[in-house]
Amino acid sequence: MVLHPILQDLVKTPFFRYFKVKLWCDCPFWPDDGMCYLRDCTVCECPESEFPEPFKKSSRLFSADDVICQEGKPQAAVDRTLDDTIFKGWIQIDNPWTYDDETDDAAMTYVNLQLNPERYTGYAGPSAQRIWTAVYKENCPQYPSEEWCNEKKVMYKLISGLHSSISVHIASEYLLDSSANLWGQNVQMLYDRVWKHPDRVRNLYFIFLLVLRAVTKAADYLEQAEYNTGNHVEDLKTQSLVRQLLYNNKLLSACRVPFDEVNIWQGQNGPDLLQQIQNQFRNISAIMNCVGCEKCRLWGKLQVNGLATALKVLFFVDGKNNLQLQRNEVIALFNLLNRLSQSVKFVHDMGPLMEKMERHDSSPTGKTPW
Protein backbone atom coordinates (compact mmCIF):
# COMPACT_ATOMS: atom_id res chain seq x y z
CA MET A 1 0.00 0.00 0.00
CA VAL A 2 2.40 2.64 -1.26
CA LEU A 3 -0.29 5.35 -1.17
CA HIS A 4 -1.43 4.76 2.40
CA PRO A 5 1.03 7.01 4.29
CA ILE A 6 0.68 9.79 1.69
CA LEU A 7 -3.10 9.73 1.98
CA GLN A 8 -2.96 9.74 5.76
CA ASP A 9 -0.80 12.86 5.75
CA LEU A 10 -2.87 14.50 3.02
CA VAL A 11 -6.25 14.30 4.75
CA LYS A 12 -4.77 15.82 7.91
CA THR A 13 -3.81 19.05 6.12
CA PRO A 14 -6.03 22.11 6.73
CA PHE A 15 -7.44 21.98 3.20
CA PHE A 16 -8.68 18.38 3.36
CA ARG A 17 -9.78 18.18 6.99
CA TYR A 18 -12.77 20.54 6.59
CA PHE A 19 -15.85 19.16 4.84
CA LYS A 20 -19.00 21.16 4.10
CA VAL A 21 -22.17 19.16 4.73
CA LYS A 22 -25.89 19.36 5.41
CA LEU A 23 -26.20 17.68 8.78
CA TRP A 24 -29.85 18.44 9.38
CA CYS A 25 -32.06 17.15 6.57
CA ASP A 26 -35.54 15.74 6.46
CA CYS A 27 -35.65 12.12 5.34
CA PRO A 28 -37.61 12.09 2.05
CA PHE A 29 -38.70 8.45 2.48
CA TRP A 30 -39.80 7.81 6.09
CA PRO A 31 -39.88 9.45 9.56
CA ASP A 32 -36.49 9.18 11.22
CA ASP A 33 -36.67 7.11 14.39
CA GLY A 34 -33.06 6.01 14.78
CA MET A 35 -30.59 7.04 17.40
CA CYS A 36 -27.04 6.34 18.52
CA TYR A 37 -26.05 4.19 21.43
CA LEU A 38 -23.18 6.47 22.43
CA ARG A 39 -23.62 9.99 23.74
CA ASP A 40 -20.53 11.22 21.90
CA CYS A 41 -21.64 10.13 18.45
CA THR A 42 -22.92 13.60 17.62
CA VAL A 43 -20.87 15.77 15.29
CA CYS A 44 -18.72 18.63 16.51
CA GLU A 45 -19.30 21.50 14.09
CA CYS A 46 -16.64 24.13 13.42
CA PRO A 47 -17.07 27.68 14.64
CA GLU A 48 -16.70 30.10 11.73
CA SER A 49 -13.40 31.35 13.15
CA GLU A 50 -11.80 27.91 12.82
CA PHE A 51 -12.08 26.92 9.18
CA PRO A 52 -9.84 28.57 6.54
CA GLU A 53 -10.69 32.11 5.46
CA PRO A 54 -10.66 31.28 1.71
CA PHE A 55 -13.40 28.71 2.35
CA LYS A 56 -15.74 31.52 3.42
CA LYS A 57 -15.47 33.33 0.11
CA SER A 58 -17.92 32.52 -2.64
CA SER A 59 -16.56 30.45 -5.47
CA ARG A 60 -17.29 31.22 -9.10
CA LEU A 61 -20.97 30.68 -9.79
CA PHE A 62 -22.02 29.16 -13.10
CA SER A 63 -25.46 29.20 -14.62
CA ALA A 64 -26.97 26.16 -16.22
CA ASP A 65 -26.03 27.60 -19.62
CA ASP A 66 -22.34 27.39 -18.75
CA VAL A 67 -22.28 23.58 -18.81
CA ILE A 68 -23.46 21.10 -21.39
CA CYS A 69 -25.56 18.48 -19.70
CA GLN A 70 -24.43 14.97 -20.46
CA GLU A 71 -27.68 13.28 -19.47
CA GLY A 72 -29.28 11.29 -22.26
CA LYS A 73 -26.88 12.49 -24.95
CA PRO A 74 -25.79 9.95 -27.57
CA GLN A 75 -22.19 11.17 -27.32
CA ALA A 76 -22.01 9.79 -23.79
CA ALA A 77 -19.43 7.24 -24.89
CA VAL A 78 -16.52 7.58 -22.52
CA ASP A 79 -13.07 8.80 -23.44
CA ARG A 80 -10.25 7.81 -21.07
CA THR A 81 -8.47 11.14 -21.29
CA LEU A 82 -9.07 14.64 -20.02
CA ASP A 83 -6.41 16.17 -22.24
CA ASP A 84 -7.50 19.80 -22.16
CA THR A 85 -8.24 20.03 -18.47
CA ILE A 86 -7.06 23.27 -16.92
CA PHE A 87 -7.95 24.38 -13.42
CA LYS A 88 -9.77 27.73 -13.62
CA GLY A 89 -10.83 28.19 -10.02
CA TRP A 90 -13.26 26.41 -7.76
CA ILE A 91 -16.85 26.46 -8.99
CA GLN A 92 -20.31 25.86 -7.54
CA ILE A 93 -22.35 23.50 -9.66
CA ASP A 94 -24.44 20.75 -8.14
CA ASN A 95 -23.20 17.27 -8.97
CA PRO A 96 -25.80 15.43 -11.12
CA TRP A 97 -24.91 12.21 -9.26
CA THR A 98 -26.07 13.54 -5.86
CA TYR A 99 -29.42 14.48 -4.33
CA ASP A 100 -28.45 17.37 -2.07
CA ASP A 101 -28.26 20.94 -3.27
CA GLU A 102 -24.55 21.26 -2.57
CA THR A 103 -24.44 24.99 -3.34
CA ASP A 104 -26.99 25.90 -0.65
CA ASP A 105 -24.46 27.41 1.74
CA ALA A 106 -27.11 28.62 4.19
CA ALA A 107 -28.06 25.04 5.02
CA MET A 108 -24.51 23.69 5.23
CA THR A 109 -21.86 23.74 7.91
CA TYR A 110 -18.14 22.95 8.02
CA VAL A 111 -17.00 19.95 10.02
CA ASN A 112 -13.44 19.16 11.09
CA LEU A 113 -13.08 15.51 10.09
CA GLN A 114 -10.10 15.02 12.37
CA LEU A 115 -12.31 15.79 15.38
CA ASN A 116 -15.09 13.52 14.13
CA PRO A 117 -13.44 10.20 13.28
CA GLU A 118 -15.43 7.44 11.65
CA ARG A 119 -15.78 4.54 14.07
CA TYR A 120 -18.31 2.47 16.00
CA THR A 121 -21.24 4.54 17.34
CA GLY A 122 -23.70 1.85 18.40
CA TYR A 123 -26.07 2.80 15.56
CA ALA A 124 -27.75 -0.52 14.83
CA GLY A 125 -31.07 -2.30 14.86
CA PRO A 126 -34.09 -1.76 12.58
CA SER A 127 -33.23 1.87 11.75
CA ALA A 128 -29.72 1.08 10.53
CA GLN A 129 -30.87 -2.07 8.74
CA ARG A 130 -33.58 -0.10 6.96
CA ILE A 131 -30.92 2.17 5.45
CA TRP A 132 -29.00 -0.69 3.82
CA THR A 133 -32.19 -2.49 2.82
CA ALA A 134 -33.35 0.63 0.99
CA VAL A 135 -29.95 1.13 -0.65
CA TYR A 136 -29.85 -2.43 -1.98
CA LYS A 137 -33.48 -3.21 -2.76
CA GLU A 138 -34.41 0.11 -4.35
CA ASN A 139 -31.26 0.44 -6.43
CA CYS A 140 -30.31 -3.21 -6.96
CA PRO A 141 -33.71 -4.92 -7.31
CA GLN A 142 -32.06 -8.34 -7.27
CA TYR A 143 -28.78 -9.66 -6.02
CA PRO A 144 -26.23 -10.09 -8.82
CA SER A 145 -27.07 -12.62 -11.48
CA GLU A 146 -25.61 -13.65 -14.81
CA GLU A 147 -28.48 -11.80 -16.48
CA TRP A 148 -27.20 -8.42 -15.36
CA CYS A 149 -25.31 -6.26 -17.80
CA ASN A 150 -21.86 -5.02 -16.80
CA GLU A 151 -23.18 -1.57 -15.88
CA LYS A 152 -25.64 -2.93 -13.32
CA LYS A 153 -22.98 -5.24 -11.92
CA VAL A 154 -20.73 -2.19 -11.46
CA MET A 155 -23.46 -0.44 -9.46
CA TYR A 156 -23.91 -3.43 -7.15
CA LYS A 157 -20.15 -3.86 -6.68
CA LEU A 158 -19.79 -0.20 -5.71
CA ILE A 159 -22.57 -0.39 -3.10
CA SER A 160 -21.25 -3.67 -1.72
CA GLY A 161 -17.67 -2.38 -1.70
CA LEU A 162 -18.64 0.79 0.17
CA HIS A 163 -20.67 -1.27 2.63
CA SER A 164 -17.69 -3.56 3.17
CA SER A 165 -15.39 -0.61 3.76
CA ILE A 166 -17.72 0.93 6.34
CA SER A 167 -17.97 -2.44 8.11
CA VAL A 168 -14.17 -2.61 8.18
CA HIS A 169 -13.97 0.88 9.70
CA ILE A 170 -16.40 -0.09 12.46
CA ALA A 171 -14.56 -3.34 13.18
CA SER A 172 -11.16 -1.63 13.25
CA GLU A 173 -12.27 1.04 15.77
CA TYR A 174 -14.77 -0.69 18.01
CA LEU A 175 -15.82 0.12 21.57
CA LEU A 176 -14.73 -3.01 23.41
CA ASP A 177 -15.56 -1.82 26.93
CA SER A 178 -17.82 1.20 27.42
CA SER A 179 -17.17 1.45 31.17
CA ALA A 180 -13.41 1.75 30.60
CA ASN A 181 -13.78 3.63 27.28
CA LEU A 182 -11.58 0.95 25.74
CA TRP A 183 -11.37 0.97 21.94
CA GLY A 184 -9.80 -1.68 19.75
CA GLN A 185 -10.32 -4.20 16.96
CA ASN A 186 -13.38 -6.42 16.73
CA VAL A 187 -11.89 -9.25 14.68
CA GLN A 188 -15.01 -11.41 14.92
CA MET A 189 -17.08 -8.64 13.32
CA LEU A 190 -14.51 -8.26 10.55
CA TYR A 191 -14.65 -12.00 9.91
CA ASP A 192 -18.45 -12.30 10.04
CA ARG A 193 -19.36 -9.20 8.06
CA VAL A 194 -16.59 -9.12 5.46
CA TRP A 195 -13.94 -11.82 5.35
CA LYS A 196 -16.11 -14.93 5.15
CA HIS A 197 -17.92 -13.44 2.16
CA PRO A 198 -15.23 -13.42 -0.59
CA ASP A 199 -17.39 -11.31 -2.92
CA ARG A 200 -17.43 -8.52 -0.33
CA VAL A 201 -13.65 -8.50 -0.13
CA ARG A 202 -13.43 -8.43 -3.94
CA ASN A 203 -15.93 -5.58 -4.09
CA LEU A 204 -13.89 -3.62 -1.54
CA TYR A 205 -10.86 -3.86 -3.82
CA PHE A 206 -13.08 -3.02 -6.80
CA ILE A 207 -14.34 0.28 -5.39
CA PHE A 208 -10.83 1.20 -4.24
CA LEU A 209 -9.47 0.70 -7.76
CA LEU A 210 -12.35 2.62 -9.34
CA VAL A 211 -11.86 5.64 -7.08
CA LEU A 212 -8.09 5.43 -7.58
CA ARG A 213 -8.67 5.43 -11.35
CA ALA A 214 -10.80 8.59 -11.06
CA VAL A 215 -8.06 10.36 -9.11
CA THR A 216 -5.33 9.39 -11.57
CA LYS A 217 -7.54 10.25 -14.56
CA ALA A 218 -8.06 13.77 -13.20
CA ALA A 219 -4.37 14.11 -12.28
CA ASP A 220 -3.69 17.17 -14.46
CA TYR A 221 -6.72 18.98 -13.03
CA LEU A 222 -5.97 18.02 -9.44
CA GLU A 223 -2.31 19.00 -9.73
CA GLN A 224 -3.25 22.50 -10.90
CA ALA A 225 -6.02 23.01 -8.35
CA GLU A 226 -5.67 25.71 -5.69
CA TYR A 227 -5.25 24.20 -2.24
CA ASN A 228 -5.49 27.57 -0.56
CA THR A 229 -6.27 27.91 3.15
CA GLY A 230 -4.31 31.09 3.86
CA ASN A 231 -1.51 29.11 5.50
CA HIS A 232 1.29 29.26 2.93
CA VAL A 233 3.47 26.58 4.50
CA GLU A 234 0.61 24.11 4.90
CA ASP A 235 -0.68 24.84 1.40
CA LEU A 236 2.72 24.06 -0.12
CA LYS A 237 2.80 20.83 1.86
CA THR A 238 -0.67 19.92 0.56
CA GLN A 239 0.35 20.61 -3.03
CA SER A 240 3.45 18.47 -2.59
CA LEU A 241 1.48 15.57 -1.12
CA VAL A 242 -1.07 15.74 -3.94
CA ARG A 243 1.73 15.48 -6.51
CA GLN A 244 3.37 12.61 -4.63
CA LEU A 245 0.04 10.80 -4.75
CA LEU A 246 -0.81 11.52 -8.38
CA TYR A 247 2.60 10.72 -9.84
CA ASN A 248 3.76 7.93 -7.57
CA ASN A 249 6.25 5.87 -9.58
CA LYS A 250 5.45 2.60 -7.84
CA LEU A 251 1.75 3.09 -8.46
CA LEU A 252 2.18 4.07 -12.11
CA SER A 253 4.45 1.14 -12.84
CA ALA A 254 2.28 -1.41 -11.04
CA CYS A 255 -1.21 -0.21 -11.96
CA ARG A 256 -1.31 2.44 -14.68
CA VAL A 257 -5.06 1.95 -15.33
CA PRO A 258 -6.60 0.64 -12.08
CA PHE A 259 -10.10 0.52 -13.59
CA ASP A 260 -10.96 0.54 -17.29
CA GLU A 261 -14.11 2.58 -17.82
CA VAL A 262 -13.81 2.82 -21.61
CA ASN A 263 -16.26 -0.01 -22.34
CA ILE A 264 -18.99 1.21 -19.99
CA TRP A 265 -22.12 2.89 -21.41
CA GLN A 266 -21.32 1.75 -24.95
CA GLY A 267 -23.87 0.61 -27.51
CA GLN A 268 -27.36 1.77 -28.34
CA ASN A 269 -28.62 1.63 -24.75
CA GLY A 270 -25.53 3.33 -23.29
CA PRO A 271 -27.04 6.79 -22.65
CA ASP A 272 -30.21 5.32 -21.12
CA LEU A 273 -28.19 3.06 -18.84
CA LEU A 274 -26.05 5.99 -17.76
CA GLN A 275 -29.17 8.00 -16.92
CA GLN A 276 -30.65 5.05 -15.01
CA ILE A 277 -27.52 4.42 -12.95
CA GLN A 278 -27.13 8.15 -12.28
CA ASN A 279 -30.72 8.35 -10.97
CA GLN A 280 -30.12 5.32 -8.78
CA PHE A 281 -27.03 6.90 -7.28
CA ARG A 282 -28.92 10.13 -6.63
CA ASN A 283 -31.46 8.04 -4.76
CA ILE A 284 -28.69 6.49 -2.66
CA SER A 285 -27.39 9.95 -1.77
CA ALA A 286 -30.93 10.93 -0.72
CA ILE A 287 -31.16 7.88 1.55
CA MET A 288 -28.13 9.23 3.46
CA ASN A 289 -30.46 11.94 4.81
CA CYS A 290 -32.37 9.18 6.62
CA VAL A 291 -29.40 7.93 8.66
CA GLY A 292 -30.39 8.40 12.29
CA CYS A 293 -26.87 8.69 13.72
CA GLU A 294 -25.38 12.12 13.11
CA LYS A 295 -21.77 10.96 12.81
CA CYS A 296 -22.79 8.05 10.58
CA ARG A 297 -24.71 10.51 8.42
CA LEU A 298 -21.65 12.73 8.13
CA TRP A 299 -19.39 9.91 6.96
CA GLY A 300 -22.09 8.37 4.81
CA LYS A 301 -22.63 11.67 3.01
CA LEU A 302 -18.90 12.30 2.63
CA GLN A 303 -18.19 8.88 1.15
CA VAL A 304 -21.22 8.92 -1.15
CA ASN A 305 -20.20 12.42 -2.27
CA GLY A 306 -16.66 11.17 -2.90
CA LEU A 307 -17.94 8.23 -4.93
CA ALA A 308 -20.29 10.52 -6.87
CA THR A 309 -17.28 12.70 -7.67
CA ALA A 310 -15.34 9.66 -8.88
CA LEU A 311 -18.24 8.69 -11.15
CA LYS A 312 -18.50 12.28 -12.38
CA VAL A 313 -14.81 12.22 -13.35
CA LEU A 314 -14.92 8.80 -14.99
CA PHE A 315 -18.10 9.35 -16.98
CA PHE A 316 -17.98 13.07 -17.64
CA VAL A 317 -18.51 14.08 -21.27
CA ASP A 318 -19.26 17.57 -22.53
CA GLY A 319 -17.53 17.47 -25.89
CA LYS A 320 -14.56 19.49 -24.66
CA ASN A 321 -13.15 17.28 -21.89
CA ASN A 322 -13.59 20.34 -19.68
CA LEU A 323 -13.89 18.82 -16.22
CA GLN A 324 -14.86 21.18 -13.39
CA LEU A 325 -15.12 20.23 -9.74
CA GLN A 326 -16.22 21.86 -6.53
CA ARG A 327 -13.71 22.23 -3.73
CA ASN A 328 -15.98 20.07 -1.54
CA GLU A 329 -16.03 17.33 -4.18
CA VAL A 330 -12.24 17.13 -4.21
CA ILE A 331 -12.14 17.06 -0.40
CA ALA A 332 -14.67 14.20 -0.42
CA LEU A 333 -12.85 12.33 -3.20
CA PHE A 334 -9.48 12.25 -1.43
CA ASN A 335 -11.01 11.45 1.96
CA LEU A 336 -12.93 8.56 0.41
CA LEU A 337 -9.77 7.25 -1.23
CA ASN A 338 -8.05 7.41 2.15
CA ARG A 339 -10.87 5.52 3.89
CA LEU A 340 -10.83 2.82 1.20
CA SER A 341 -7.05 2.62 1.43
CA GLN A 342 -7.28 2.11 5.19
CA SER A 343 -9.92 -0.61 4.72
CA VAL A 344 -7.85 -2.46 2.12
CA LYS A 345 -4.74 -2.25 4.31
CA PHE A 346 -6.60 -3.47 7.41
CA VAL A 347 -8.11 -6.44 5.58
CA HIS A 348 -4.70 -7.28 4.10
CA ASP A 349 -2.92 -7.01 7.45
CA MET A 350 -5.58 -9.11 9.19
CA GLY A 351 -5.47 -11.76 6.46
CA PRO A 352 -3.36 -14.34 8.38
CA LEU A 353 -5.62 -14.11 11.44
CA MET A 354 -8.75 -14.27 9.27
CA GLU A 355 -7.42 -17.38 7.51
CA LYS A 356 -6.76 -18.98 10.90
CA MET A 357 -10.31 -18.23 11.99
CA GLU A 358 -11.61 -19.58 8.70
CA ARG A 359 -9.86 -22.90 9.24
CA HIS A 360 -11.63 -23.23 12.58
CA ASP A 361 -15.00 -22.18 11.25
CA SER A 362 -17.07 -25.11 10.12
CA SER A 363 -20.10 -23.02 9.17
CA PRO A 364 -20.97 -22.61 5.45
CA THR A 365 -19.60 -19.53 3.71
CA GLY A 366 -21.98 -19.34 0.80
CA LYS A 367 -22.91 -15.97 -0.60
CA THR A 368 -25.85 -14.41 1.20
CA PRO A 369 -27.57 -11.02 1.05
CA TRP A 370 -26.33 -8.32 3.39
Side-chain angles (χ1 to χ4, degrees):
M1 296 298 297
V2 296
L3 302 182
H4 189 66
I6 300 174
L7 281 165
Q8 282 192 309
D9 289 341
L10 184 63
V11 298
K12 293 177 183 177
T13 63
F15 183 90
F16 283 103
R17 76 173 62 142
Y18 296 101
F19 179 63
K20 188 170 66 172
V21 62
K22 283 184 181 179
L23 285 176
W24 301 106
C25 305
D26 292 330
C27 173
F29 303 109
W30 59 75
D32 176 38
D33 55 4
M35 61 183 297
C36 302
Y37 168 71
L38 303 180
R39 291 184 301 173
D40 64 348
C41 73
T42 56
V43 170
C44 174
E45 301 176 22
C46 296
E48 187 172 337
S49 59
E50 178 184 342
F51 58 88
E53 190 67 30
F55 284 30
K56 304 174 189 177
K57 300 175 182 178
S58 297
S59 304
R60 294 191 303 130
L61 292 173
F62 280 64
S63 70
D65 296 332
D66 292 319
V67 293
I68 301 176
C69 183
Q70 63 175 320
E71 297 180 8
K73 290 190 174 292
Q75 65 267 31
V78 176
D79 189 319
R80 282 185 182 167
T81 61
L82 295 169
D83 295 332
D84 300 323
T85 299
I86 299 176
F87 180 79
K88 298 177 180 178
W90 297 116
I91 61 163
Q92 286 192 12
I93 300 177
D94 286 329
N95 189 334
W97 291 84
T98 58
Y99 170 82
D100 277 347
D101 177 6
E102 300 167 45
T103 61
D104 185 9
D105 287 334
M108 304 184 82
T109 184
Y110 278 100
V111 172
N112 185 333
L113 300 174
Q114 298 298 305
L115 299 180
N116 297 278
E118 182 186 22
R119 59 182 182 178
Y120 171 80
T121 65
Y123 181 55
S127 177
Q129 185 60 42
R130 183 166 52 183
I131 297 295
W132 286 114
T133 298
V135 167
Y136 282 104
K137 288 191 174 180
E138 294 183 19
N139 302 285
C140 296
Q142 308 170 25
Y143 292 102
S145 72
E146 295 303 321
E147 299 176 359
W148 276 16
C149 63
N150 288 334
E151 288 81 0
K152 292 184 178 180
K153 288 180 180 178
V154 166
M155 185 65 170
Y156 175 83
K157 289 179 179 179
L158 291 177
I159 295 173
S160 173
L162 185 59
H163 194 175
S164 297
S165 183
I166 292 172
S167 296
V168 172
H169 301 158
I170 295 172
S172 64
E173 291 196 57
Y174 195 85
L175 183 60
L176 301 175
D177 186 340
S178 58
S179 60
N181 194 30
L182 176 64
W183 294 79
Q185 300 170 350
N186 188 330
V187 294
Q188 189 65 50
M189 175 182 284
L190 177 67
Y191 178 76
D192 290 337
R193 293 193 182 182
V194 180
W195 183 267
K196 76 174 189 177
H197 304 276
D199 58 313
R200 299 180 186 181
V201 178
R202 288 193 296 268
N203 292 337
L204 171 61
Y205 278 82
F206 177 84
I207 188 176
F208 172 68
L209 292 174
L210 182 140
V211 174
L212 180 60
R213 166 59 181 158
V215 170
T216 56
K217 181 176 183 178
D220 290 343
Y221 180 95
L222 295 171
E223 180 190 19
Q224 298 173 40
E226 295 174 355
Y227 302 101
N228 180 22
T229 64
N231 185 325
H232 183 64
V233 174
E234 287 290 342
D235 294 343
L236 287 176
K237 176 183 176 181
T238 303
Q239 188 78 52
S240 174
L241 288 168
V242 168
R243 288 172 180 162
Q244 290 177 49
L245 177 69
L246 297 175
Y247 304 110
N248 187 283
N249 289 331
K250 291 184 179 179
L251 171 65
L252 294 176
S253 61
C255 197
R256 186 169 295 276
V257 182
F259 171 82
D260 188 0
E261 75 283 358
V262 74
N263 293 320
I264 305 293
W265 324 122
Q266 299 294 319
Q268 184 177 358
N269 296 326
D272 291 338
L273 278 171
L274 175 60
Q275 179 71 59
Q276 178 184 348
I277 298 299
Q278 191 174 81
N279 289 340
Q280 288 175 339
F281 202 83
R282 282 174 58 85
N283 188 57
I284 291 172
S285 74
I287 292 173
M288 293 301 103
N289 288 327
C290 302
V291 176
C293 164
E294 191 177 57
K295 191 167 290 183
C296 305
R297 188 186 314 133
L298 163 66
W299 282 100
K301 282 183 168 244
L302 181 144
Q303 291 175 91
V304 167
N305 186 308
L307 184 53
T309 305
L311 294 170
K312 176 179 176 180
V313 169
L314 290 176
F315 305 119
F316 181 85
V317 175
D318 71 353
K320 300 178 182 178
N321 294 326
N322 188 23
L323 175 69
Q324 305 240 319
L325 297 175
Q326 296 184 55
R327 172 170 50 209
N328 214 43
E329 290 175 333
V330 174
I331 291 171
L333 179 64
F334 278 104
N335 272 282
L336 171 62
L337 185 62
N338 176 59
R339 300 307 289 154
L340 294 173
S341 171
Q342 289 186 359
S343 294
V344 169
K345 184 179 186 302
F346 187 70
V347 169
H348 177 269
D349 292 346
M350 297 296 287
L353 178 57
M354 294 292 102
E355 290 173 353
K356 182 178 179 181
M357 293 175 67
E358 193 170 33
R359 288 193 295 268
H360 289 83
D361 184 4
S362 59
S363 62
T365 57
K367 180 163 57 177
T368 57
W370 280 94

